[in-house]
Amino acid sequence: DRDVTGVQTCALPISVSAVAEDGAALKWVPPSCNAVAVIQMRKLVNTPMGRQQKWSDKVRRAYAEGLLSAPPWVKEAVRATTFGSMSAGRPLSYSIFTMDQDAIIGDIVKHERGSSEQIGGSFACLSPRGIYFVQLAPEILGALQPPDRRAVSAWVRAGAASNESNLSPFLKTALETPDEALIVIAVDLTDMLNPPQVRAWLAASPRLKVRKNLDEMAALVASIRGARLAVKVRDTANARLVLEFDKPIANQSLLREVVLQWLDDAGAQTGVLAQARTSVENKSFAFEAPLDDAALRRLLSLIQSPHLPAKDETANLETPAPNAVATAAYYGSVCDLLNSLIRKNQNAVNYDKTALWHETFAKRSPICRRRASIPRWPPGVAT
């Protein structure tokens, strides 16, 4: 993710689990959120892979050049949102950063060229790029998108009144598993799927409708409790995706086909999972696979924040002289995005199966956000 991991050219995403040892950041995740991503930034950049690719230097340089909004000294980044909501509009995305500094909201105001104010008794900054930053507590910075002032106020007051996490039981278990992962993404899917609709989808799939026991498989898929993706990063990156169900898994090969078909239908076809090792343990189904640079970048694109310029930003985008640093970074970023899509599509047979990656990469592109002459980019904070 650009704001958390630094630059687009890095092979980036997501001992201890990825949750902060004291749980300070997770306390600030609203109970309405059912999807949470945690990245141990300080440990990530200090891995052999991070040191080899000089992630720390790239993060600091990009922040100094105005290309990042999250400070490079972030220890941990948490991103939370509501996945699968049927309500209209874009769901709120909450980001929480932990660091050693008691308060940095003043630096954020300068960096974002925004306005300073107080909300719920906490200092906040409204960025002209459509994001609210707020000092949630000493050493904890929050960010909210879209920038809803009332939501910021409710967030600050609810967090201040609670001393412990309000996460669902599934998320608590998923995020507190001690497995040395530096990136963890957990999604609570309890009661999200409708069995008749799952059965109808299976029956409509050319690849699946010829299989037996579709009623049994539909009941299994609809009983899903959640998903947990853990990425361990050392000299290389390795991912483990675990799907938890309420029912025992009787047919491993069919469930694998169902998951891969769902990814295809969602426009998220990925060769990584297609080639991954699978295993079953009672009610859990796991995929395990190494991640190359492109796969890790694509994976983290799913937890990025797209940051479109505010409606009144487009009026004053020109500067008296070109900014060479920003222009070079702009060009390099666009090339990286295009190259990643090219690599992604080398084995694709049709656009529909990779549409999700096109959409997420398009949202990340500075083309749809800001002109290159502006010496700062919209933040891209992590989920």
Side-chain angles (χ1 to χ4, degrees):
D1 189 298
R2 180 175 301 278
D3 247 8
V4 176
T5 55
V7 291
Q8 199 70 39
T9 55
C10 293
L12 300 180
I14 250 189
S15 193
V16 295
S17 82
V19 180
E21 295 175 0
D22 58 2
L26 291 182
K27 160 187 136 80
W28 291 96
V29 176
S32 60
C33 295
N34 68 344
V36 181
V38 184
I39 301 179
Q40 290 290 340
M41 283 307 309
R42 184 169 294 176
K43 293 177 181 177
L44 187 62
V45 299
N46 286 319
T47 59
M49 188 177 184
R51 290 195 299 269
Q52 180 184 10
Q53 301 197 25
K54 300 181 180 180
W55 292 347
S56 180
D57 292 343
K58 292 175 180 177
V59 169
R60 292 180 180 278
R61 183 170 62 251
Y63 185 77
E65 292 171 352
L67 302 180
L68 305 181
S69 292
W73 52 86
V74 166
K75 293 192 298 183
E76 177 191 60
V78 176
R79 172 83 184 272
T81 190
T82 303
F83 172 80
S85 173
M86 298 299 292
S87 59
R90 176 180 163 194
L92 293 174
S93 295
Y94 299 83
S95 298
I96 304 112
F97 305 99
T98 64
M99 56 197 70
D100 295 325
Q101 291 76 4
D102 281 346
I104 65 160
I105 197 67
D107 294 334
I108 295 295
V109 171
K110 294 178 182 177
H111 190 262
E112 292 294 309
R113 302 178 187 177
S115 56
S116 178
E117 56 185 300
Q118 280 200 18
I119 303 177
S122 296
F123 287 100
C125 167
L126 175 58
S127 167
R129 293 180 286 186
I131 181 170
Y132 250 122
F133 292 93
V134 58
Q135 192 72 50
L136 296 173
E139 302 183 359
I140 299 180
L141 177 73
L144 178 68
Q145 300 171 264
D148 186 319
R149 198 176 194 280
R150 292 183 62 187
V152 172
S153 177
W155 186 21
V156 170
R157 296 177 190 278
S162 175
N163 292 319
E164 58 185 31
S165 166
N166 292 307
L167 295 172
S168 70
F170 176 84
L171 290 179
K172 283 184 178 179
T173 300
L175 295 173
E176 292 172 1
T177 301
D179 60 0
E180 298 184 347
L182 297 183
I183 302 169
V184 172
I185 304 172
V187 184
D188 188 340
L189 300 170
T190 305
D191 296 327
M192 184 171 290
L193 301 182
N194 176 278
Q197 290 180 347
V198 174
R199 178 63 174 82
W201 169 70
L202 292 172
S205 170
R207 192 164 79 181
L208 300 174
K209 67 181 181 180
V210 297
R211 301 295 296 264
K212 298 179 180 179
N213 304 320
L214 290 189
D215 290 331
E216 180 182 338
M217 180 54 60
L220 171 64
V221 172
S223 77
I224 190 168
R225 295 183 58 240
R228 180 183 190 267
L229 175 66
V231 181
K232 296 181 180 180
V233 182
R234 297 187 182 92
D235 296 287
T236 58
N238 291 276
R240 177 179 172 83
L241 172 65
V242 178
L243 306 178
E244 299 280 354
F245 299 89
D246 275 337
K247 298 179 180 294
I249 299 169
N251 192 328
Q252 177 178 341
S253 62
L254 178 55
L255 182 56
R256 178 191 176 99
E257 283 191 54
V258 169
V259 173
L260 295 179
Q261 184 63 55
W262 174 77
L263 290 173
D264 282 356
D265 290 354
Q269 184 188 72
T270 171
V272 172
L273 283 187
Q275 301 170 17
R277 300 185 303 274
T278 59
S279 60
V280 170
E281 185 175 344
N282 193 18
K283 300 178 182 179
S284 300
F285 185 69
F287 290 84
E288 293 186 66
L291 298 178
D292 60 19
D293 296 357
L296 190 53
R297 188 180 305 143
R298 285 196 301 272
L299 188 154
L300 284 184
S301 74
L302 296 175
I303 58 174
Q304 275 188 276
S305 299
H307 300 274
L308 300 178
K311 292 182 178 179
D312 58 350
E313 273 192 295
T314 56
N316 298 303
L317 291 180
E318 299 295 343
T319 56
N323 184 301
V325 171
T327 301
Y330 172 94
Y331 176 77
S333 176
V334 173
C335 288
D336 287 333
L337 290 171
L338 293 175
N339 288 334
S340 292
L341 277 176
I342 290 171
R343 287 190 293 270
K344 177 63 198 169
N345 287 316
Q346 284 177 345
N347 300 317
V349 294
N350 68 62
Y351 171 81
D352 289 341
K353 293 187 177 183
T354 57
L356 176 65
W357 306 117
H358 288 265
E359 292 178 7
T360 54
F361 276 67
K363 290 175 182 177
R364 292 166 63 184
S365 172
I367 291 176
C368 68
R369 297 187 306 217
R370 176 175 286 274
R371 294 278 293 279
S373 58
I374 302 299
R376 34 182 196 105
W377 277 10
V381 293
T383 125

